[in-house]
Amino acid sequence: MNNLGFEIQKSKDRNNWQLIGFVSGSGSTTELNSYSFIDNNIFGEKNYYRLKQIDYNGTYEYSNVIEISLSLNSFQLYQNFPNPFNPSTTFKYAVPQKSFIKIFLYDIKGEKIFDLINEEKEAGIYTFEFNSKNLSSGLQVFILLIRFMDG
């Protein structure tokens, strides 16, 4: 009844919550409704989630906290999206344990253009956006090479 929508909140420790999304509600209805949200920025092996259901009059109520545990078994680089892209695309990768991550961008001739990621990362799933607008227009095909090194 009177449902404005749902704030989706996430925490690493069940104490500090961050807003990660909002799903609009269906107002006042007796019909069964289904809602969904995809979190594309997972960190660590455990993530905690809760919903803040908000009414049109400003009152709200929190759901129970749900714990989601991930079991990352290997390093993975997922297909970028969109592909092909112009001028930007998003990359996603998984890190199974704390490691130093290096991701390099190469041109079609195999020459390194620059480092995209060069830092230590905790276990988790990460995304980053790549924008090619500052590259010379002659570079038309790129190969992304990923290399993982233990920390």
Side-chain angles (χ1 to χ4, degrees), residues 20-126:
I20 61 168
F22 184 83
V23 175
S24 295
S26 296
S28 295
T29 181
T30 57
E31 293 182 28
L32 181 63
N33 290 288
S34 178
Y35 304 96
S36 65
F37 179 83
I38 297 174
D39 181 5
N40 289 316
N41 193 18
I42 306 296
F43 45 73
E45 292 185 22
K46 286 189 181 181
N47 292 270
Y48 301 95
Y49 296 89
R50 70 181 182 187
L51 298 177
K52 180 179 179 182
Q53 190 275 314
I54 305 168
D55 290 337
Y56 282 109
N57 64 8
T59 61
Y60 60 88
E61 186 175 320
Y62 288 103
S63 70
N64 293 331
V65 174
I66 298 172
E67 177 183 311
I68 304 294
S69 296
L70 296 176
S71 179
L72 299 174
N73 298 323
S74 63
F75 294 101
Q76 291 185 353
L77 176 64
Y78 301 94
Q79 178 64 52
N80 62 304
F81 179 82
N83 185 16
F85 64 93
N86 183 18
S88 65
T89 188
T90 300
F91 289 96
K92 181 177 177 180
Y93 63 98
V95 179
Q97 75 265 352
K98 184 176 181 177
S99 299
F100 195 83
I101 306 300
K102 290 187 175 192
I103 302 178
F104 308 106
L105 185 66
Y106 287 82
D107 66 14
I108 191 88
K109 297 181 286 184
E111 296 174 358
K112 183 170 137 181
I113 299 171
F114 55 85
D115 296 358
L116 295 170
I117 305 289
N118 189 9
E119 62 191 15
E120 190 169 61
K121 294 285 193 180
E122 296 290 333
I125 298 174
Y126 298 89

Side-chain angles (χ1 to χ4, degrees), residues 116-140:
L116 295 170
I117 305 289
N118 189 9
E119 62 191 15
E120 190 169 61
K121 294 285 193 180
E122 296 290 333
I125 298 174
Y126 298 89
T127 61
F128 67 93
E129 186 172 319
F130 170 70
N131 193 318
S132 65
K133 70 179 181 181
N134 293 329
L135 297 177
S136 74
S137 60
L139 297 173
Q140 296 183 3

Side-chain angles (χ1 to χ4, degrees), residues 10-17 43 46-48:
K10 180 165 82 170
S11 173
K12 290 192 244 183
D13 58 11
R14 296 182 77 131
N15 294 314
N16 300 304
W17 294 92
F43 45 73
K46 286 189 181 181
N47 292 270
Y48 301 95

